[in-house]
């Protein structure tokens, strides 16, 4: 079945460092891909998405490119801030059952220090 | 403000008790979803509903029940048959179709067993 694999955390960075969180997927067909962010004690917020190969999603300085050849959707940010500390989830849409189910990775915790 | 609300934020369940989690949205979205999140894991789908008066089981529906009598509301009941109910429960609703469908999440309800 379809699945998502994220790099294990925690990822610990200093402020203004470059961020990469790896995400690879296994899927039949052409799923849409998403990054969601979860701050402590809160629900998930959509960060960005891409719906087809070579699409680049971007938001708030974060970006990710849908790479079909490597089945990847890595999240990047050029300069992180303390406020970016959160758990980041990669997800794909699975429409095999006739409805849109999101399949999530396990999440990657990011901690940014001043 | 448009959005998804979940209540209560925290809920305590005694052994053998059924409890109901509320989810309301004023986004005019047709589809709604319930997910369960366990510590250090991604989300898993419990139930979903694409239209009023219709809902389907997700991957982990055992011990849960739902109703969809109104477009805006999709309550989840955790029954006494659910032997391990302690988790963070997230409701979502979606807009768009096919590859354009995007799910948006509420703030979540944390369920604890006394």
């Amino acid at each position: 079945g379809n699945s998502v694999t994220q790099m294990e955390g925690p990822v610990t960075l200093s402020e203004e460092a470059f961020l990469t969180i790896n995400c690879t997927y296994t899927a039949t067909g052409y799923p849409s891909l998403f990054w969601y962010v979860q701050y402590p004690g809160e629900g998930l917020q959509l960060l960005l998405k891409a719906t087809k190969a070579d699409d680049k999603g971007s938001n708030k300085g974060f970006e990710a490119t849908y790479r079909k050849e490597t089945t990847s959707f890595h999240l990047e940010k050029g300069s992180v801030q303390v406020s970016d500390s959160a758990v980041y989830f990669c997800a794909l849409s699975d429409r095999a059952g006739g409805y849109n189910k999101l399949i999530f990775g396990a999440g990657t915790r990011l901690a940014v220090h001043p | 403000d448009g959005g998804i609300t979940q209540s209560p934020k925290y809920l305590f369940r005694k052994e053998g008790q059924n409890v109901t989690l509320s989810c309301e949205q004023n986004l005019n979205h047709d589809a709604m979803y319930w997910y369960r999140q366990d510590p250090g894991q991604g989300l898993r789908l419990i139930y979903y509903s694409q239209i009023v008066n219709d809902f389907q089981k997700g991957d982990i529906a055992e011990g849960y029940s739902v109703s969809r009598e109104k477009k805006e509301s999709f309550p989840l009941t955790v029954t006494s048959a659910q032997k391990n109910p302690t988790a963070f429960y997230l409701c979502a609703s979606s807009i768009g179709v096919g590859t354009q469908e995007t799910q948006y999440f509420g703030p979540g309800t944390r369920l604890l067993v006394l």
Side-chain angles (χ1 to χ4, degrees):
Chain A
N2 295 351
S3 65
V4 174
T5 302
Q6 291 181 235
M7 64 187 288
E8 287 191 24
V11 174
T12 303
L13 296 173
S14 297
E15 206 165 25
E16 299 184 4
F18 185 86
L19 169 70
T20 299
I21 299 179
N22 290 339
C23 171
T24 57
Y25 67 90
T26 301
T28 54
Y30 303 96
S32 297
L33 301 173
F34 304 84
W35 277 101
Y36 285 87
V37 59
Q38 185 176 36
Y39 298 99
E42 298 185 9
L44 273 65
Q45 297 178 23
L46 177 66
L47 185 58
L48 53 83
K49 69 175 185 179
T51 60
K52 61 183 187 297
D54 300 324
D55 264 4
K56 176 185 283 188
S58 61
N59 185 26
K60 299 180 182 179
F62 292 89
E63 58 183 35
T65 301
Y66 190 140
R67 301 285 188 200
K68 186 171 182 295
E69 63 276 12
T70 55
T71 61
S72 64
F73 192 54
H74 304 322
L75 182 68
E76 297 181 335
K77 187 176 185 183
S79 176
V80 293
Q81 305 301 312
V82 172
S83 58
D84 293 326
S85 299
V87 180
Y88 292 81
F89 290 93
C90 184
L92 66 81
S93 60
D94 182 338
R95 300 184 196 87
Y99 64 97
N100 190 18
K101 176 175 74 174
L102 286 178
I103 295 177
F104 287 86
T108 302
R109 183 175 301 278
L110 170 65
V112 181
H113 299 290
Chain B
D1 285 339
I4 303 170
T5 57
Q6 292 187 240
S7 62
K9 186 170 183 178
Y10 296 95
L11 186 57
F12 298 91
R13 193 191 92 163
K14 296 179 181 178
E15 291 289 337
Q17 185 181 41
N18 293 353
V19 292
T20 297
L21 286 62
S22 169
C23 177
E24 304 277 333
Q25 54 97 2
N26 61 3
L27 301 168
N28 200 34
H29 290 176
D30 288 315
M32 297 186 73
Y33 305 80
W34 274 106
Y35 291 88
R36 169 180 171 140
Q37 184 181 25
D38 292 285
Q41 298 185 32
L43 282 66
R44 293 179 291 168
L45 183 67
I46 304 172
Y47 267 98
Y48 68 98
S49 169
Q50 293 182 293
I51 57 172
V52 174
N53 292 322
D54 183 66
F55 49 83
Q56 303 296 330
K57 293 181 179 180
D59 297 323
I60 55 165
E62 185 174 351
Y64 301 97
S65 65
V66 294
S67 63
R68 187 84 187 277
E69 298 176 1
K70 299 186 300 182
K71 187 175 185 178
E72 303 80 17
S73 179
F74 191 40
L76 173 74
T77 296
V78 184
T79 74
S80 57
Q82 172 50 246
K83 297 307 178 187
N84 184 23
T86 297
F88 192 45
Y89 291 86
L90 288 153
C91 176
S93 66
S94 69
I95 189 169
V97 293
T99 59
Q100 299 304 316
E101 185 175 352
T102 300
Q103 292 185 25
Y104 296 89
F105 287 80
T109 293
R110 189 166 300 281
L111 177 61
L112 300 166
V113 177
L114 294 177

